[in-house]
Amino acid sequence: MTVTEREAREVAEAAREQDWRKPSFAKELFLGRFRLDLIHPHPAPDPESVQRGEDFLTKLRTFCETSIDGALIERESQIPDDVINGLKGLGALGMKVGTEYGGLGLSQVYYNKALALASSASPAVGALLSAHQSIGVPQPLKLFGTQEQKDAFLPRCATTDISAFLLTEPDVGSDPARLATTAVPDGDHYVLDGVKLWTTNGVVADLLVVMARVPKSDGHPGGISAFVVEGDAEGITVENRNAFMGLRGIENGVTRFHRVRVPKAHLIGKEGAGLKIALTTLNTGRLSLPATCVGAGKWCLKIAREWSEARVQWGKPVAKHEAVGGKMAFMAATTFALEAVVDLSSQMADEDRNDIRIEAALAKLFGSEMAWQMADDLVQIRGGRGYETAASLAARGEKGIPAEQLLRDMRINRIFEGSTEIMHLLIAREAVDAHLSVAGELIDPEATFADKRKAALAAGGFYARWLPKLVAGAGQLPNAYAEFDNLAPHLRYVERTARKLARSTFYAMSRWQGRMETKQNFLARIVDIGAELFAMSATCVRAEQMRRDDDNGKAAHQLADAFCRQSRVRVEELFSRLWHNTDDLDRTVVKGIMNGSYAWLEEGVLDASTDGAWIADQTPGPSTKENAHRPIR
């Protein structure tokens, strides 16, 4: 499909939740308002959900220890059927499904803890469970399904059936306006045609959530829509099981639909609501990925500590050398902070008092980037042994530490469920929503003079009230947040810096106006500053809760202090790079790359790539390949 840049933006904008019906800590933070009352005191889970969650974690831990062989899954690039059937028997497919439908009804907090535990046994198992119920059939039906759909599908998802989510296509990633798969109305059915790529769980799935475009016609508003589709329906072919650098046991494939008939009763929500359903599902679904990053951080810290005690260089354990110790301090502080971010966001999701769309996105962005850094640091601390496979280490008589596997497995997290670059843009759009609400037409080059005048009046009133509040605040009072003891200076820093961040955003909008959306590197730095401030806030709140309620409170305060000091260094660097950077020069270099000015630089090497199209053909039609679909029973 050919879609203009403006049309693509309009599709993405229409899929957004337009209203803010509930408060949002992160939204307020980007506006320069430090609403500590929204997260402190740290929200607490109800005792019943804690008991239910702890009981399941005990069973899951035993299963992971006795029945999951992560090395076997890595070696054979497949999760054994008996492991998946064991997970079904344990109820793991129904962690997020309500008890009334045969599920476990776990809270978001304990669902995330379960994913972290399962992923530590095998990241492929964690991916299977997460794709099934974070973005697969259960969550969209929970939020948007009819009672009939819930009754028909949720009991299956809770006990026997694996689900998958199918949005991406060979030529469509984060730009869904060009979605090519169609769902044409035909009597009491829709007829699906198209090709879907990177269908996590798609190879083994019994049920699919499929995004397809309904043509506009009489009685049909059309648009991208969501459907529940039986995985073994006639006309569905899994044409390939994909292989990756990491997550080698993941059941990810290419699925072709040819004249697949789907009952109208399987449409989720309304026609045209598919993208909104997907984005709303991801509001909490995105929390599963940073939850697995928490687990990775904990393991990195454990291995780094044990190895650094055993490894002696120049007369002392390597941990006592500052170059290694600094990496370990980063691991410990960051793991504590990431767990604080995930637990806080998850508990807010359970309570449903706040709008957490920005918090969940920040958790995903922050978690995936920080976990990747921790995994890379672990490989560096382990040296040559970090680069060596666990199997090779074991073969020569050493402990089989899969550090290099973790690095490969974690790399996808910066791409899954919205790449880091897309997350920056998504969060930036939400962060400037208040500005666009009052000044959008003022900076829209296609708006009429009358619209611009009306917007100018509205913007003038908003900024007259808002800007003066960015001048001073509690962060300048020496006794503010005193109840946090040694962490109070960090919260005062967050308050002051949130106002500085809001002023920087306003200045940029005034300077660039309608061109603001093209300043992607600037927006990324703004978002990264916000992510650090959110993480600092969550970390201090969690540490203070632990000081009141936990024997490890003193140590938690120390870790929180370390993280905040590390974070403040990163924040100051990001602020410096807002206005002092090479962005303009980089754009000039990119033009030179694309027009061939530097083609000479590519000489002197061989290209090991095989022949083939850059993007596979996705022309609708019958499949010519053997069906690789293998449901697990």
Side-chain angles (χ1 to χ4, degrees):
M1 294 183 64
T2 301
V3 177
T4 66
E5 182 179 356
R6 184 176 183 85
E7 288 172 335
R9 286 201 309 270
E10 288 174 349
V11 169
E13 186 65 19
R16 284 184 61 249
E17 290 184 74
Q18 303 294 325
D19 301 322
W20 295 85
R21 293 180 291 273
K22 299 174 184 176
S24 165
F25 174 80
K27 175 177 178 286
E28 294 293 304
L29 198 65
F30 280 107
L31 285 171
R33 299 191 284 249
F34 182 46
R35 290 287 308 279
L36 185 62
D37 60 295
L38 293 177
I39 62 173
H40 175 69
H42 195 292
D46 67 88
E48 182 183 348
S49 71
V50 172
Q51 186 62 54
R52 186 186 308 125
E54 291 293 342
D55 289 345
F56 178 70
L57 285 182
T58 299
K59 297 175 184 177
L60 181 62
R61 175 177 288 276
T62 299
F63 180 83
C64 289
E65 290 175 340
T66 59
S67 302
I68 298 180
D69 184 343
L72 175 69
I73 294 171
E74 172 73 2
R75 187 167 60 250
E76 298 190 353
S77 296
Q78 186 169 295
I79 304 171
D81 288 3
D82 62 342
V83 170
I84 296 177
N85 286 325
L87 291 168
K88 291 179 180 181
L90 201 63
L93 294 188
M95 288 187 285
K96 287 277 285 178
V97 178
T99 55
E100 66 272 29
Y101 299 107
L104 299 180
L106 296 189
S107 66
Q108 185 72 38
V109 170
Y110 275 94
Y111 169 65
N112 287 341
K113 290 180 183 296
L115 287 180
L117 178 59
S119 295
S120 68
S122 167
V125 170
L128 181 142
L129 294 174
S130 175
H132 165 66
Q133 48 206 316
S134 293
I135 56 176
V137 171
Q139 192 68 7
L141 288 192
K142 176 183 176 181
L143 297 174
F144 298 98
T146 64
Q147 190 58 54
E148 291 75 14
Q149 289 172 339
K150 293 175 182 178
D151 291 339
F153 297 118
L154 290 184
R156 293 169 57 184
C157 291
T159 55
T160 59
D161 287 16
I162 297 171
S163 68
F165 174 77
L166 280 65
L167 170 62
T168 304
E169 298 178 357
D171 199 27
V172 178
S174 298
D175 180 15
R178 299 170 57 249
L179 197 78
T181 298
T182 58
V184 179
D186 182 22
D188 293 332
H189 289 75
Y190 290 89
V191 180
L192 269 63
D193 284 280
V195 179
K196 294 294 184 179
L197 176 63
W198 296 326
T199 60
T200 300
N201 287 358
V203 177
V204 297
D206 305 287
L207 290 171
L208 315 172
V209 175
V210 181
M211 296 292 165
R213 184 183 302 278
V214 178
K216 190 174 183 179
S217 61
D218 290 342
H220 293 277
I224 298 173
S225 307
F227 301 87
V228 178
V229 181
E230 297 284 354
D232 60 356
E234 185 178 354
I236 295 180
T237 305
V238 177
E239 294 190 330
N240 192 61
R241 183 179 186 267
N242 302 325
F244 303 97
M245 67 182 289
L247 292 181
R248 290 184 174 172
I250 195 172
E251 297 288 353
N252 180 294
V254 177
T255 302
R256 178 178 291 271
F257 297 86
H258 176 61
R259 306 293 296 168
V260 178
R261 298 184 65 80
V262 179
K264 282 190 174 181
H266 290 194
L267 171 70
I268 307 174
K270 300 177 180 179
E271 285 185 5
L275 288 183
K276 182 165 289 190
I277 289 171
L279 289 178
T280 304
T281 297
L282 282 171
N283 281 347
T284 54
R286 280 198 176 98
L287 291 174
S288 63
L289 192 150
T292 64
C293 291
V294 170
K298 289 174 180 286
W299 185 78
C300 285
L301 181 61
K302 176 181 183 294
I303 297 302
R305 174 181 56 79
E306 294 175 350
W307 167 245
S308 297
E309 291 172 348
R311 179 65 163 170
V312 175
Q313 292 283 275
W314 293 294
K316 57 185 177 182
V318 293
K320 293 185 178 182
H321 293 285
E322 195 173 86
V324 173
K327 289 179 171 60
M328 294 175 64
F330 168 77
M331 281 183 191
T334 303
T335 297
F336 180 79
L338 181 52
E339 188 168 42
V341 165
V342 173
D343 282 357
L344 177 63
S345 301
S346 300
Q347 187 57 42
M348 289 195 293
D350 287 331
E351 293 186 349
D352 201 26
R353 287 189 295 110
N354 294 349
D355 187 323
I356 66 158
R357 72 181 85 161
I358 301 181
E359 286 84 348
L362 287 172
K364 190 273 180 188
L365 171 67
F366 180 76
S368 59
E369 291 295 322
M370 290 301 186
W372 166 255
Q373 184 62 57
M374 287 189 283
D376 188 61
D377 281 350
L378 178 63
V379 169
Q380 192 70 19
I381 290 172
R382 288 274 289 160
R385 290 172 172 84
Y387 194 69
E388 190 173 2
T389 68
S392 177
L393 288 164
R396 59 183 184 80
E398 292 193 0
K399 192 175 180 70
I401 305 294
E404 61 83 28
Q405 179 192 336
L406 180 72
L407 193 66
R408 289 186 285 102
D409 289 339
M410 296 303 293
R411 186 59 182 84
I412 188 58
N413 291 341
R414 300 172 65 206
I415 300 172
F416 259 169
E417 297 178 15
S419 68
T420 291
E421 293 73 21
I422 291 299
M423 295 307 298
H424 278 140
L425 298 181
L426 183 151
I427 297 168
R429 172 60 186 87
E430 300 295 353
V432 301
D433 185 54
H435 300 283
L436 294 181
S437 295
V438 298
E441 291 183 326
L442 188 62
I443 61 177
D444 184 350
E446 298 188 17
T448 65
F449 177 78
D451 288 337
K452 286 180 180 286
R453 182 181 177 186
K454 183 178 179 181
L457 293 173
F462 171 77
Y463 290 121
R465 296 187 302 272
W466 178 66
L467 285 172
K469 297 178 181 179
L470 301 182
V471 176
Q476 293 162 293
L477 302 177
N479 295 322
Y481 314 114
E483 67 271 26
F484 284 83
D485 195 38
N486 66 309
L487 300 181
H490 299 310
L491 291 178
R492 292 196 290 270
Y493 175 85
V494 171
E495 195 279 335
R496 295 193 307 273
T497 307
R499 287 186 281 112
K500 181 180 178 181
L501 181 64
R503 293 194 301 268
S504 300
T505 304
F506 172 74
Y507 174 70
M509 290 193 67
S510 302
R511 177 179 175 180
W512 292 313
Q513 299 184 26
R515 293 184 294 126
M516 178 79 158
E517 67 179 24
T518 68
K519 305 297 181 178
Q520 294 181 1
N521 288 335
F522 176 89
L523 292 172
R525 295 174 193 123
I526 288 288
V527 169
D528 285 341
I529 292 170
E532 296 283 359
L533 297 182
F534 175 45
M536 290 174 67
S537 304
T539 301
C540 290
V541 168
R542 181 169 188 247
E544 180 58 21
Q545 178 203 36
M546 291 182 67
R547 187 176 72 155
R548 295 193 317 267
D549 306 333
D550 195 296
D551 293 338
N552 296 315
K554 183 177 180 180
H557 258 244
Q558 189 174 53
L559 285 173
D561 181 44
F563 173 78
C564 289
R565 291 177 186 274
Q566 295 169 7
S567 181
R568 287 168 71 159
V569 172
R570 294 191 293 267
V571 167
E572 292 306 312
E573 180 183 354
L574 286 165
F575 267 116
S576 173
R577 292 172 55 209
L578 284 180
W579 312 110
H580 303 284
N581 52 63
T582 62
D583 292 351
D584 290 339
L585 178 59
D586 292 345
R587 281 190 287 272
T588 299
V589 171
V590 170
K591 290 180 181 178
I593 293 172
M594 299 310 292
N595 66 26
S597 297
Y598 311 129
W600 50 268
L601 191 58
E602 301 168 10
E603 297 173 0
V605 297
L606 298 177
D607 185 352
S609 308
T610 61
D611 291 335
W614 282 101
I615 298 171
D617 180 45
Q618 58 180 350
T619 304
S623 179
T624 59
K625 297 185 177 181
E626 183 178 349
N627 193 358
H629 183 227
R630 58 174 200 91
I632 297 171
R633 289 289 181 261

